[in-house]
Amino acid sequence: MKFDILTLFPDLCASPLSGSILGKASDRGLITIQAHNLRDWAEGRHQVTDDIPYGGGDGMVMKPEPVAKALTALRQQNPAARVLLMTPQGRTFRQSDAQRLTEAGSLIFVCGRYEGFDERIRTLVDDEFSLGDFVLTGGELAAMVMIDAVARLVPGVLGSAGSALTDSFADGLLEHPHYTRPVEFNGLRVPDVLLSGHHAEIARWRRRQQLQRTLERRPDLLDDAPLSESDRAILKELRSSHEAKQ
Ligand SMILES: C[S@@+](CC[C@H](N)C(=O)[O-])C[C@H]1O[C@@H](n2cnc3c(N)ncnc32)[C@H](O)[C@@H]1O
């Protein structure tokens, strides 16, 4: 899968994506990540990419022409690429978006700086994403977070390092808790069921823990999660024991 980042600061994007699992995936040719300097598509001796806002106000606004030229060039190489604008005004990025975006095969991330983009840049992109309700100084970190989340879902990238199928959000719920050695730490014991070797019991315990965690921490997720009859029965029981305690 190919990831292109359009940015005024390509150097910022190198190191977080070059180590560990994503570094190995790049070495194996499963993913390609390339940061491009928007200035390369800017006109004139000074290669200006931003200008003062019409109507006045603080800060600089990113000009539309360099972004348009860069996108034309990158789309020529990859006509099927999806272009994503990084903006706090976009849709909040979720795991379901990461899953869907793996199908694109090629993604181009447009990163803003300063006050953000000339409004007309929005007409050049396929989608607009936000990392959440806060404002970053630039879109590079947002693009890298999204690339990390999408790239680990590309077949072969995780290998034996972990399974995306059981991660939080993969089936609409938070993941169950994990334990490793030692059996006892600070007076806290690993639940006996996990030491039992009884796979069906362990699977039942884990599902119940998933439901309980999600109910306690992210009850909003339960509205959309695909739940079985037995999940619903467990939730009913968990809710009534919670109410009884109050
Ligand atoms: C300082 S911000 C501009 C914010 C803009 N003035 C506004 O209020 O909507 C500069 C750039 O950082 C990026 N950015 C900031 N917050 C972001 C977020 N929550 N998610 C994604 N990108 C973000 C965008 O690319 C944005 O153009």
Side-chain angles (χ1 to χ4, degrees):
M1 178 147 188
K2 176 110 170 59
F3 301 92
D4 289 291
I5 308 171
L6 267 183
T7 165
L8 289 172
F9 300 96
D11 292 350
L12 280 184
C13 305
S15 109
L17 299 170
S18 62
S20 186
I21 292 174
L22 296 194
K24 284 189 194 128
S26 295
D27 293 344
R28 289 161 60 211
L30 294 171
I31 57 170
T32 309
I33 303 167
Q34 213 177 339
H36 308 267
N37 195 334
L38 253 180
R39 229 172 272 291
D40 294 343
W41 285 279
E43 297 276 316
R45 198 157 55 92
H46 297 294
Q47 295 183 294
V48 173
T49 54
D50 55 272
D51 209 335
I52 53 173
Y54 276 121
D58 289 334
M60 300 297 273
V61 176
M62 289 182 65
K63 288 164 68 62
E65 311 96 304
V67 177
K69 283 187 185 152
L71 289 177
T72 302
L74 293 178
R75 276 184 166 131
Q76 262 163 13
Q77 291 166 20
N78 266 315
R82 277 193 77 73
V83 179
L84 312 177
L85 191 74
M86 301 296 98
T87 163
Q89 301 181 18
R91 199 152 52 80
T92 306
F93 179 62
R94 297 170 70 99
Q95 184 71 12
S96 51
D97 295 307
Q99 269 150 1
R100 193 172 42 79
L101 289 172
T102 57
E103 288 157 25
S106 179
L107 298 173
I108 300 171
F109 295 80
V110 185
C111 303
R113 280 271 153 180
Y114 320 122
E115 270 311 304
F117 303 101
D118 179 294
E119 186 65 11
R120 293 162 291 186
I121 289 175
R122 295 182 58 209
T123 64
L124 308 173
V125 306
D126 297 310
D127 223 333
E128 301 182 22
F129 279 108
S130 166
L131 272 204
D133 291 348
F134 45 83
V135 176
L136 302 164
T137 52
E140 292 77 12
L141 287 173
M144 287 188 283
V145 167
M146 285 183 63
I147 290 171
D148 189 291
V150 175
R152 68 193 290 283
L153 300 179
V154 170
V157 167
L158 282 186
S160 60
S163 166
L165 292 176
T166 59
D167 280 334
S168 293
F169 313 112
D171 63 357
L173 301 176
L174 300 182
E175 198 187 27
H176 56 77
H178 293 283
Y179 293 88
T180 185
R181 281 179 281 198
V183 167
E184 191 161 326
F185 172 73
N186 278 354
L188 301 169
R189 255 186 80 77
V190 174
D192 286 339
V193 63
L194 297 180
L195 308 173
S196 69
H198 194 305
H199 296 300
E201 285 289 320
I202 292 171
R204 265 197 293 280
W205 180 85
R206 285 182 168 163
R207 186 66 184 173
R208 190 182 172 88
Q209 288 289 321
Q210 270 197 282
L211 292 162
Q212 186 168 349
R213 288 224 134 172
T214 310
L215 184 64
E216 286 167 0
R217 297 174 184 214
R218 291 292 306 275
D220 56 301
L221 294 177
L222 293 170
D223 295 339
D224 295 327
L227 299 173
S228 67
E229 279 306 307
S230 112
D231 290 336
R232 289 182 196 285
I234 294 169
L235 277 172
K236 201 171 160 193
E237 187 199 314
L238 289 169
R239 281 190 178 110
S240 57
S241 81
H242 180 70
E243 278 162 21
K245 276 187 205 146
Q246 284 186 332

